[in-house]
Amino acid sequence: MSIDWITVGAQIVNFLVLVWLLKRFLYRPILDGIDAREAEITARMGEAAQIEAAAQQQKAEYEERIEALQASRAETLEAARQEAEKERNAMLTEARRQMDHEQAERAAQRAEDARAFRAELQKSAAEALLSLTRKALTDLADETLERRIVARAAARLPEVTDRLRGDAKQAVALTRDPLPEEVRAHLRDALDAVAPGAALSFETDPVRSPGLSLTLGSVQVDWTIGDYLEDLEAMLDESTNGVSAGDPRDAG
Amino acid sequence: MQLTPDDTILLTFFGIGLNATIVNTWIIMALLTGVSALITRNLRPDVPPNRWRTALEVMVGGIVGQISEVTQRRDPRILYFVGTLFLFIVTANLLTVVPGFDTPTASLSTTAALAISVLVAVPVFGIGSRGLGGYLKTYVQPSVVMLPFNVISEVSRGISLAIRLYGNIMSGAVIAAILLSIAPFFFPVLMDMLGLLTGVIQAYIFAILATVYIATATAAPDAHQDKKDMS
């Protein structure tokens, strides 16, 4: 066991060189790498903390907004429900008003149609009744309708004689169609019998019902076929109402 | 039978013989430097660490942790010195298993050189930490009477460092050689395994004692006094 001092010196130098070499190639790179990584981790953790803080802030904001929305949700729903109810009532009112208006229009139209139909029916019935009456008189009694009308009016003149006053100087015979001359003469004779000296004039009105209207002063003697038509219409209405009331389909 | 590799002259330059201690030390230096340079050559923050780099980081981190436990502070200069001591000794001790390789730590010259390095490093670190006056004052504490005893203590612990490491490693190598001559098949393997364990432990002891000495020299006065009281 001996010490070689030259070797000792060489080993000291070797050791110092090794210290420098390992410092250069081992410790510095490793420590710098660790420090750099720690710095990077610290920076990333800082960024993560900032991101997390921002996320937490956003989360708090969203939660606050959600709470506010939930709080106002009931009010919004109630307001919307009331608005919808109001709109619904307005629409129903408008629909009812429009329906009533249309019903009134249809009713007026139906009434107008019924009135026109009734007038047309009355006109046709008058024509038919007049024609039938004239034919029946001709066939059965060899008479004309105009003569019978004038005869009827002449027969009623004595009934109104006591109502004549001093103004019975002018008489007017109003018919729809012009009267034959022989009928006019008959009427004139009958008038002379109750009102001597009274002037008789003949007038026509195409729109009036067939018949005769004799005006003598303040007295008027009428016979028109319209009275019969009114009776016929009343009978038809009564029959129609009776049929409608007795129809089980209508009842059902 | 040679007890030290100092006696094995491998090369001669200009009349100066290069023994196996120096040459093998160069081999260990080249091995440590080469491996370190190879692993850390692409060490950049943007390059993900590989397993070798991670192993080096674990090793260096372990050394830093041990030093920090003893010194209670992080001084990279102590890492450079003590870490190199540990890595050199442990590498040399582990290479005893290589047939034909005479480990340098089996040379008293090498261990003496390392012990001298520690003996020099302790006052260097102490003066660097406390200043010259502050460091020299530690030799006359608690009284001037203690000056010779403190000087003897400093020298004796350096000698003990050198002798302890040399004795352990040299004895292991000698025992392995003796057993190899007596029972060449079984006992040398066991002794080599034991030698590996002993070599690592001795490297740790040498490095940790050097750290303690340096920490004692660089500690604050109060802490220095506390450590002396505890010892």
Side-chain angles (χ1 to χ4, degrees), chain A residues 83-99:
Chain A
E83 185 68 20
E85 182 70 19
K86 185 178 177 182
E87 187 70 18
R88 173 177 169 272
N89 292 333
M91 291 175 70
L92 283 175
T93 304
E94 176 63 21
R96 286 196 188 98
R97 189 194 63 76
Q98 192 167 359
M99 188 170 65

Side-chain angles (χ1 to χ4, degrees), chain A residues 1-38 40, chain B residues 6 19 21-22 25-26 29 32-33 36-37 40 43 45 49 53 56-57 60 64 74 79-81 83-85 87-88 104 108-110 112-114 116-117 166:
Chain A
M1 187 179 75
S2 62
I3 296 177
D4 182 1
W5 290 106
I6 296 176
T7 305
V8 170
Q11 290 294 76
I12 290 173
V13 173
N14 286 336
F15 176 72
L16 295 178
V17 170
L18 183 61
V19 168
W20 182 83
L21 288 173
L22 290 186
K23 174 187 173 185
R24 168 72 177 77
F25 292 106
L26 179 62
Y27 302 125
R28 277 276 178 82
I30 292 294
L31 292 179
D32 290 346
I34 292 174
D35 291 341
R37 192 161 64 242
E38 286 179 351
E40 185 178 355
Chain B
D6 292 352
N19 56 36
T21 302
I22 296 175
T25 298
W26 288 348
M29 290 170 62
L32 287 174
T33 306
S36 299
T40 60
L43 201 152
R53 177 184 165 185
L56 275 190
E57 287 183 357
V60 174
V64 170
R74 185 173 178 177
L79 169 67
Y80 303 151
F81 184 79
T84 304
L85 271 179
L87 291 177
F88 175 72
L108 187 59
S109 300
T110 303
L114 297 178
I116 291 170
S117 299
Y166 165 73

Side-chain angles (χ1 to χ4, degrees), chain B residues 38-106:
Chain B
L38 192 67
I39 294 174
T40 60
R41 71 184 190 284
N42 285 329
L43 201 152
R44 297 194 306 271
D46 56 336
V47 176
N50 54 21
R51 62 183 68 182
W52 299 107
R53 177 184 165 185
T54 304
L56 275 190
E57 287 183 357
V58 169
M59 187 181 67
V60 174
I63 295 173
V64 170
Q66 289 292 322
I67 293 172
S68 298
E69 283 187 8
V70 174
T71 63
Q72 299 298 318
R73 67 177 184 274
R74 185 173 178 177
D75 188 350
R77 296 174 305 167
I78 300 176
L79 169 67
Y80 303 151
F81 184 79
V82 176
T84 304
L85 271 179
F86 175 76
L87 291 177
F88 175 72
I89 295 171
V90 77
T91 305
N93 292 347
L94 292 178
L95 288 177
T96 55
V97 297
V98 176
F101 186 84
D102 292 329
T103 178
T105 48

Side-chain angles (χ1 to χ4, degrees), chain B:
Chain B
M1 179 178 181
Q2 293 181 348
L3 294 180
T4 172
D6 292 352
D7 299 334
T8 306
I9 303 299
L10 299 179
L11 298 170
T12 302
F13 280 115
F14 304 106
I16 300 175
L18 293 179
N19 56 36
T21 302
I22 296 175
V23 173
N24 290 343
T25 298
W26 288 348
I27 293 173
I28 292 172
M29 290 170 62
L31 183 66
L32 287 174
T33 306
V35 170
S36 299
L38 192 67
I39 294 174
T40 60
R41 71 184 190 284
N42 285 329
L43 201 152
R44 297 194 306 271
D46 56 336
V47 176
N50 54 21
R51 62 183 68 182
W52 299 107
R53 177 184 165 185
T54 304
L56 275 190
E57 287 183 357
V58 169
M59 187 181 67
V60 174
I63 295 173
V64 170
Q66 289 292 322
I67 293 172
S68 298
E69 283 187 8
V70 174
T71 63
Q72 299 298 318
R73 67 177 184 274
R74 185 173 178 177
D75 188 350
R77 296 174 305 167
I78 300 176
L79 169 67
Y80 303 151
F81 184 79
V82 176
T84 304
L85 271 179
F86 175 76
L87 291 177
F88 175 72
I89 295 171
V90 77
T91 305
N93 292 347
L94 292 178
L95 288 177
T96 55
V97 297
V98 176
F101 186 84
D102 292 329
T103 178
T105 48
S107 163
L108 187 59
S109 300
T110 303
T111 57
L114 297 178
I116 291 170
S117 299
V118 173
L119 281 179
V120 174
V122 168
V124 168
F125 278 107
I127 293 171
S129 175
R130 301 182 177 201
L132 181 61
Y135 177 73
L136 291 179
K137 193 184 293 182
T138 61
Y139 284 92
V140 294
Q141 286 179 346
S143 66
V144 182
V145 181
M146 295 298 293
L147 176 62
F149 300 103
N150 283 330
V151 172
I152 292 172
S153 171
E154 290 288 326
V155 175
S156 64
R157 69 189 185 189
I159 295 173
S160 71
L161 272 177
I163 298 299
R164 181 188 299 111
L165 179 61
Y166 165 73
N168 277 283
I169 304 305
M170 184 272 291
S171 64
V174 169
I175 291 172
I178 294 171
L179 289 177
L180 189 63
S181 62
I182 297 174
F185 295 108
F186 185 67
F187 282 106
V189 177
L190 291 179
M191 290 308 297
D192 278 345
M193 293 173 60
L194 188 61
L196 289 177
L197 181 62
T198 305
V200 174
I201 292 174
Q202 287 304 316
Y204 178 76
I205 289 173
F206 196 102
I208 209 71
L209 284 176
T211 307
V212 170
Y213 297 155
I214 293 171
T216 304
T218 58
D222 293 341
H224 179 72
Q225 188 63 39
D226 293 342
K227 286 189 177 181
K228 282 205 168 185
D229 292 342
M230 290 175 67
S231 62

